Amino acid sequence: MNPFESLGLKHDGRSLWVLDQTQLPDAEVWLDGSQPEVMIDLIKRLAVRGAPLIGVAAAASLATFASRGASASDFAIACAALRAARPTAVNLMWAMDRMKDAVEPMAEAYAIFTEDVRLCEDMAAHGAALIQDGEGLLTHCNTGGLATAGIGTALGVIRRAHEQGKHIHVYADETRPLLQGGRLTAWELTRLGIPATLITDSMAALLLRDGRVQRVLVGSDRVAANGDFANKVGTYGLAVQARFHGVPFHPVAPFSTVDLACPNGAAIPIEERDQAEVRGYGALRWAPVGVPAWNPSFDVTPVELVTSLVLDRGVFSAEELKVGTLARLSTAPPVHGPMGSLPPPDFLGHQIGEESP
Ligand code: MRU
């Protein structure tokens, strides 16, 4: 079995390791996620997070469990438990459904990993073609190498545009309540040397009004058949603000995030998390003890607010999505990026020549 590695996950051939995203940006601590029950806890507390990455990590954990001699019934129980670790990101269910019947679990986990790397490259190629030199780009949550096995979804698009020499400036929402933007996107952008400014979520409307943002790019945890999509809470508000200011708004997702079983956004299950995450952060609490708080982790943006969806299979307008394009695409062979001449990704999910983490 080949070892494999991405920014937030590595398998050394015997054990699976994940970068504890709750400790970033202050400490880079790798945790052993080889046991499914440990991986479930890591996923629930967002030490491992991001829709594609939780699918990849769950698959790799399950495969490691199998390689250590788990019985068929223990494997099936672990698979079902991992599948239920978080409810909104359909990539987790998609990956576990592939693993459930896998004849060679490690080969299947490796395939899920390498496919995700390729899907990121294809999204990046399609999405970067939309970005013009000089654009200000607004993004939400973390959608980069930490959230996938490859270069990311929305942040992968942004990274590719930067690598193409386009002069872009990224505005990163801090993303309340768990600060994936402030902690993780800011960390990735800094490492990549992409010009960026961190803002609080409540500053986005002002930036849009002042004409400093020409495009909004976000990820997705589940895209319904009609193009409505769930993403980190705050995305819907950004879409409303972008529409009001006439700024293009693009979700970016691999086809593993599309759930044709959900006819529209109302069918997407939304995770609700502990109220304590709204009352404070970590050991710090700023709200009165016991004050009622509401903590939906995701919201749903209706397709009417989408300019176009960037998929690994191409870019599709809201009009195309509304008439069942996603269902038709599910039976069509994938098309690799519009450039044709993209370098193949190395399986580490980094560009060749880039410094390793
Ligand atoms: O709760 P999180 O941090 O897992 O939420 C992540 C997001 O909302 C991302 O935008 C989404 O997973 C898609 S991008 C990889």
Side-chain angles (χ1 to χ4, degrees), residues 46 49-52 54 86 89 140-144 147-148 153-154 180 218-221 231-232 252 271 297-298:
L46 271 56
R49 49 146 299 282
I54 60 175
R86 287 188 83 187
H140 192 62
C141 196
N142 172 266
T143 64
T148 64
T153 59
Q180 290 93 331
V218 297
S220 172
D221 284 73
N231 191 47
K232 179 54 57 196
V252 183
E271 176 181 8
S297 195
F298 300 93

Side-chain angles (χ1 to χ4, degrees), residues 123-132 135-141 143 152-158 161 166 208 213-223 227-232 234-243 246-254 257 301-312 314-321:
M123 285 180 272
H126 291 297
L130 297 171
I131 296 174
Q132 307 300 309
E135 285 190 349
L137 306 170
L138 177 58
T139 192
H140 192 62
C141 196
T143 64
T153 59
L155 205 58
V157 167
I158 290 169
K166 291 174 185 164
L208 286 155
V213 173
Q214 282 66 51
R215 201 172 295 281
V216 181
L217 295 148
V218 297
S220 172
D221 284 73
R222 195 181 297 221
V223 182
D228 294 349
F229 74 99
N231 191 47
K232 179 54 57 196
T235 301
Y236 172 43
L238 274 187
V240 171
Q241 293 167 16
R243 174 57 54 91
V247 171
F249 176 88
H250 312 275
V252 183
T257 302
T301 300
V303 66
E304 287 75 19
L305 295 176
V306 168
T307 305
S308 59
L309 167 66
V310 178
L311 281 172
D312 51 286
V315 179
F316 301 92
S317 68
E319 289 63 39
E320 290 174 296
L321 297 171

